[in-house]
Amino acid sequence: MTVWTSSQGVRRLEFGPLPRERHTNLPEAWPARLGAAVEQLREYFAKERTSFDLPLDLSGVTSDFQREVYNQLLKVEHGHVMSYGQIAREIGKPDQARAVGQAVGANPIPIIVPCHRVIASDGRLTGFSGGLKRKVVLLKLEGIDVDGSSPNSKVHPEVIPLDL
């Protein structure tokens, strides 16, 4: 993973190695925000952390709607999932589930803004910018069972809110 920070906070998280044209200093020389983000991610993957306490830089986010979706994602607790429709209803736009899906797919800070916790309304696995196999790993890390890593795989969370 590559973690990008600014003076405001975590700006981007990308899967894969640091691009060749970019260079980084040794960890001792990292800015404090970068060091904190890397440490909290390490704790998350070691199952020592269930939430993040990091400032976020969403200045590159282009719409207020996306910001609303990301703020709602931050409320989805570790080990729980929500559907796109549930998120749309929570932000007061019940007919915008597809738009929620587009915003979730454009999330610049996956894991920290937990878009991996979003599934289809029928409990099936749905897309993830890092790929479905990574999404399954993240869900299982949080104690959520998934039948496989294909789009039709069923997700079996301990708790799933019902669409009523």
Side-chain angles (χ1 to χ4, degrees), residues 138-152:
L138 294 169
L139 291 172
K140 286 184 174 187
L141 180 76
E142 296 186 12
I144 297 172
D145 189 34
V146 184
D147 289 342
S149 60
S150 72
N152 291 321

Side-chain angles (χ1 to χ4, degrees), residues 70-91:
Y70 301 152
N71 285 329
Q72 186 60 42
L73 289 176
L74 290 167
K75 296 175 185 176
V76 182
E77 295 180 14
H78 184 274
H80 294 182
V81 294
M82 288 185 84
S83 72
Y84 297 98
Q86 288 170 316
I87 292 171
R89 285 190 295 282
E90 288 294 322
I91 64 172

Side-chain angles (χ1 to χ4, degrees), residues 64-131:
D64 290 337
F65 180 80
Q66 286 175 309
R67 283 185 194 86
E68 284 181 88
V69 170
Y70 301 152
N71 285 329
Q72 186 60 42
L73 289 176
L74 290 167
K75 296 175 185 176
V76 182
E77 295 180 14
H78 184 274
H80 294 182
V81 294
M82 288 185 84
S83 72
Y84 297 98
Q86 288 170 316
I87 292 171
R89 285 190 295 282
E90 288 294 322
I91 64 172
K93 297 180 172 101
D95 59 339
Q96 297 292 313
R98 286 182 190 250
V100 166
Q102 290 174 336
V104 168
N107 176 12
I109 315 172
I111 300 174
I112 296 170
V113 177
C115 55
H116 61 281
R117 296 177 186 154
V118 182
I119 62 171
S121 61
D122 63 0
R124 286 182 303 109
L125 193 61
T126 55
F128 181 62
S129 62

Side-chain angles (χ1 to χ4, degrees), residues 20-97:
R20 286 186 180 177
E21 68 276 5
R22 300 288 183 165
H23 301 283
T24 186
N25 297 323
L26 295 172
E28 304 80 43
W30 288 352
R33 292 193 191 285
L34 177 59
V38 169
E39 180 59 27
Q40 288 191 28
L41 283 163
R42 282 185 183 141
E43 292 169 353
Y44 171 79
F45 286 113
K47 295 185 177 185
E48 298 168 356
R49 173 175 290 278
T50 59
S51 64
F52 295 92
D53 182 24
L54 297 165
L56 304 178
D57 178 357
L58 292 172
S59 62
V61 173
T62 59
S63 76
D64 290 337
F65 180 80
Q66 286 175 309
R67 283 185 194 86
E68 284 181 88
V69 170
Y70 301 152
N71 285 329
Q72 186 60 42
L73 289 176
L74 290 167
K75 296 175 185 176
V76 182
E77 295 180 14
H78 184 274
H80 294 182
V81 294
M82 288 185 84
S83 72
Y84 297 98
Q86 288 170 316
I87 292 171
R89 285 190 295 282
E90 288 294 322
I91 64 172
K93 297 180 172 101
D95 59 339
Q96 297 292 313

